Amino acid sequence: MTGLSLGEKQFIQGGIAQDLRSDGRKRLTYRPIYVETGVIPQANGSARVRMGGTDVIASVKAEIGRPSPLQPNKGKVSIYVDCSPTAAPMFEGRGGEELSTELSVALQRCLLGGKSGAGAGIELSSLIVVEGKVCWDLYIDGLVISSDGNLLDALGASIKAALSNTGIPRVHVVAEASGEDQPELDISDEEFLQFDTSGVPVIVTLTRVGRHYIVDATPEEESQMSSAVSVSINRKGLICGLTKRGGAGLDPSVILDMISVAKHVSEQLIDRLDSEISAAEAIEEE
Amino acid sequence: MEYVSPEGLRIDGRRPMEMRKLQAEIGVVAKADGSAVFEMGNTKVIAAVYGPREVQNRSQQLSDQALVRCEYSMANFSTGDRMRKPKGDRRSTEISLVIRQTMEACILTQLMPRSQIDIYVQVLQADGGTRSACINAATLALADAGIPMRDFVTSCSAGYLNSTPLLDLNYVEDSAGGPDVTVGILPKLDKVTLLQMDAKLPLDIFENVMQLAVEGCKAIADYIREVLSENTKQLEYRRGL
């Protein structure tokens, strides 16, 4: 992104202070969101989300695996984000690795809960087939095709949409096995179980510019931020994860205020996303 | 395994000389100078062009022509089994080189000395013929970026299975072990810029297969021309002409 002149910077800051951003939005308004599901037919579930100029694709692949011995009654989920060089020339070769890692870790923190698997946004115990022996491993891959600010929110939304689109094949245990042996499985090609995504959280990033917070920042606005807090909230209003970025220190009362603003915004975002996702699924079924 | 049935139908129901369904869209990546999505059947590829812009690495600067760079990467979810390493492996490096050389032949690099043109190709879905789809997408993206070119470069693959030349192989046919001929041409100038083949083929059959691939390239060139003129009409309309 090319640099901003002093006049442009003051324009952005002044506009945010007056609740009128450069593209005409209010501080807490999202850009138009477009959701398409089933974009990757080879995957168990996939979705593409566009927020303004930001374009991301998420795909979910399910493979049979062994549960970890520490948590024999839970499946495993891994999230990995890749920044494609089509989004920006600086992502060429290994240039995008730092941002990819930052996004992957932030998403894992927001969606997967603690080390014991407790409090995960995704219900891990529903991925178990045979306790202690066989479980589903979900591989969630995100790809950033075009970057126009607010990548974390777009990725969170696309993962939620991809999970709604995911069908886990039904598994029948053909032969029981004792001890360390793996039981024989019959994986159905026909029947699929839809994943329950009512508990999956969305991520709302609040960017602080001056003394006000904005939602869904463009790259120009992000360059003017003093700090940003990304909160992941689910439908019940429970906070599933929190990340603070940016060097400026924040007063704890400010953080609590930002969290409550995020909660308020997330209700509208979840409703909007759910309606977009069901519209996309309806189009896909036709 | 039978790749061509006695009635003359392939695994996906096509005739031997039939190409897969083509679909292209221009201008998908807002930030790029030019971009395009190209689909050949289930193979889906996105290309973005950044440039001409200032050379990032001064030591690579060329005083009389533009520097063309290319990177090919596959998404994790593009193949049936999930890939661990999206880029940097040998196949990706080779394909990046191939695309770069092919596009460099058609760009009028003399008009833009001391500058750099970056072509980034990302494979979203791989079902055979990714090399060709990437070149076709790169052509569209370069046209969208307004970079001066001698001619389009279009590319198509052809093979030979069950004693039949087949056009536009998909992944299953490609992994059958038969020959795979990839051809890239400049359609108006009628010149071949890319020719690659693996496995063995008798010389007279090779001529047939290569001719078939060239026909395929010409058909793609017609389609690309159509897409670009449609795009120009849209741009004119938006400008109010």
Side-chain angles (χ1 to χ4, degrees):
Chain A
M1 197 198 68
T2 48
L4 295 173
S5 70
L6 197 55
E8 283 174 299
K9 289 181 193 169
Q10 286 180 342
F11 194 76
I12 292 175
Q13 286 164 0
I16 290 171
Q18 293 175 45
D19 203 16
L20 182 66
R21 292 153 75 173
S22 305
D23 51 7
R25 287 185 284 156
K26 294 208 164 293
R27 285 196 285 259
L28 300 178
T29 313
Y30 269 89
R31 285 173 288 188
I33 303 177
Y34 299 102
V35 176
E36 260 177 77
T37 53
V39 286
I40 311 283
Q42 290 153 305
N44 293 75
S46 60
R48 177 181 175 188
V49 167
R50 268 173 290 166
M51 269 187 196
T54 299
D55 197 344
V56 300
I57 293 185
S59 96
V60 178
K61 276 217 164 104
E63 283 171 23
I64 292 279
R66 282 195 83 124
S68 139
L70 300 165
Q71 283 134 44
N73 61 342
K74 289 196 157 78
K76 294 189 293 230
V77 176
S78 79
I79 303 183
Y80 173 73
V81 173
D82 184 31
C83 294
S84 166
T86 54
M90 64 176 215
F91 294 153
E92 189 183 352
R94 304 195 59 173
E97 240 177 72
E98 203 183 298
L99 182 60
S100 305
T101 320
E102 191 190 319
L103 290 169
S104 308
V105 169
L107 284 167
Q108 281 166 2
R109 188 180 304 129
C110 290
L111 297 169
L112 295 183
K115 283 212 166 58
S116 67
I122 302 169
E123 193 51 60
L124 293 176
S125 41
S126 62
L127 294 173
I128 261 295
V129 177
V130 174
E131 194 163 316
K133 296 214 182 116
V134 181
C135 72
W136 282 109
D137 285 340
L138 282 189
Y139 294 101
I140 304 181
D141 291 309
L143 180 70
V144 176
I145 298 179
S146 172
S147 161
D148 198 23
N150 205 23
L151 287 174
L152 202 52
D153 292 16
L155 282 163
S158 67
I159 289 178
K160 186 174 164 82
L163 285 170
S164 318
N165 184 241
T166 302
I168 310 269
R170 203 181 284 274
V171 184
H172 300 287
V173 182
V174 168
E176 283 292 338
S178 55
E180 284 301 309
D181 297 336
Q182 292 283 88
E184 267 182 55
L185 301 166
D186 170 39
I187 301 176
S188 160
D189 278 335
E190 302 293 318
E191 297 165 33
F192 288 94
L193 299 165
Q194 285 301 115
F195 212 74
D196 176 28
T197 54
S198 52
V200 177
V202 292
I203 304 179
V204 175
T205 302
L206 283 174
T207 311
R208 186 176 162 91
V209 177
R211 289 172 50 213
H212 304 273
Y213 329 120
I214 52 172
V215 127
D216 198 11
T218 61
E220 291 83 23
E221 291 165 342
E222 266 176 10
S223 70
Q224 296 309 301
M225 76 170 190
S226 51
S227 52
V229 171
S230 300
V231 187
S232 116
I233 304 182
N234 68 8
R235 188 169 268 283
K236 296 187 200 131
L238 299 173
I239 298 177
C240 306
L242 199 78
T243 310
K244 181 205 169 282
R245 293 193 330 266
L250 287 175
D251 200 71
S253 60
V254 171
I255 294 188
L256 290 172
D257 190 37
M258 281 170 107
I259 292 175
S260 68
V261 170
K263 237 178 176 176
H264 171 72
V265 172
S266 71
E267 284 159 27
Q268 296 160 8
L269 179 62
I270 289 181
D271 286 333
R272 204 156 143 207
L273 261 182
D274 282 339
S275 67
E276 287 285 327
I277 291 172
S278 14
E281 303 245 291
I283 292 175
E284 196 203 346
E285 257 156 55
E286 277 166 28
Chain B
M1 189 185 154
E2 202 183 70
Y3 294 99
V4 185
S5 75
E7 299 93 43
L9 291 176
R10 291 151 79 171
I11 308 175
D12 48 8
R14 285 185 285 157
R15 297 250 153 232
M17 308 235 177
E18 202 182 311
M19 267 185 76
R20 290 178 289 184
K21 181 163 180 283
L22 297 173
Q23 197 150 340
E25 205 187 312
I26 302 185
V28 266
V29 178
K31 290 241 142 175
D33 293 316
S35 59
V37 171
F38 199 85
E39 282 178 70
M40 288 168 88
N42 282 334
T43 299
K44 190 167 175 181
V45 153
I46 192 171
V49 168
Y50 288 87
R53 59 194 191 117
E54 202 175 320
V55 181
Q56 306 293 300
N57 193 351
R58 266 309 176 85
S59 59
Q60 290 176 344
Q61 195 181 71
L62 298 164
S63 57
D64 59 342
Q65 59 179 5
L67 179 70
V68 177
R69 291 164 75 241
C70 177
E71 185 175 292
Y72 166 94
S73 48
M74 299 183 80
N76 264 335
F77 42 77
S78 56
T79 54
D81 301 317
R82 196 174 158 266
M83 283 179 69
R84 298 292 139 168
K85 215 175 162 215
K87 41 181 135 165
D89 60 312
R90 292 163 70 93
R91 181 176 171 272
S92 302
T93 318
E94 192 246 335
I95 299 185
S96 307
L97 187 68
V98 162
I99 299 177
R100 182 175 71 74
Q101 287 174 340
T102 315
M103 303 324 291
E104 204 167 14
C106 80
I107 298 176
L108 293 166
T109 48
Q110 265 70 21
L111 295 180
M112 299 161 288
R114 285 180 289 277
S115 71
Q116 175 177 314
I117 299 175
D118 289 313
I119 306 173
Y120 299 116
V121 193
Q122 175 83 39
V123 177
L124 298 175
Q125 270 173 249
D127 189 27
T130 45
R131 209 169 294 227
S132 305
C134 288
I135 291 176
N136 297 327
T139 297
L140 275 172
L142 285 167
D144 186 36
I147 290 179
M149 296 192 281
R150 261 178 211 100
D151 194 0
F152 302 139
V153 185
T154 54
S155 167
C156 193
S157 65
Y160 189 74
L161 289 169
N162 288 142
S163 313
T164 329
L166 302 173
L167 181 60
D168 196 12
L169 306 170
N170 61 24
Y171 182 71
V172 179
E173 292 166 341
D174 202 359
S175 354
D180 174 18
V181 179
T182 307
V183 175
I185 63 165
L186 301 169
K188 258 212 190 122
L189 301 175
D190 214 7
K191 289 196 198 286
V192 174
T193 60
L194 169 70
L195 182 58
Q196 284 185 325
M197 187 182 101
D198 53 15
K200 290 192 295 227
L201 207 52
L203 212 51
D204 47 351
I205 301 182
F206 170 73
E207 282 188 36
N208 281 348
V209 173
M210 190 181 126
Q211 198 49 44
L212 184 59
V214 170
E215 294 296 315
C217 292
K218 295 209 172 111
I220 296 181
D222 290 335
Y223 178 71
I224 285 185
R225 210 165 280 132
E226 216 179 276
V227 168
L228 281 173
S229 46
E230 185 58 46
N231 184 47
T232 311
K233 279 197 197 121
Q234 283 290 318
L235 291 173
E236 280 181 339
Y237 174 69
R238 282 187 211 146
R239 273 191 70 189
L241 288 169

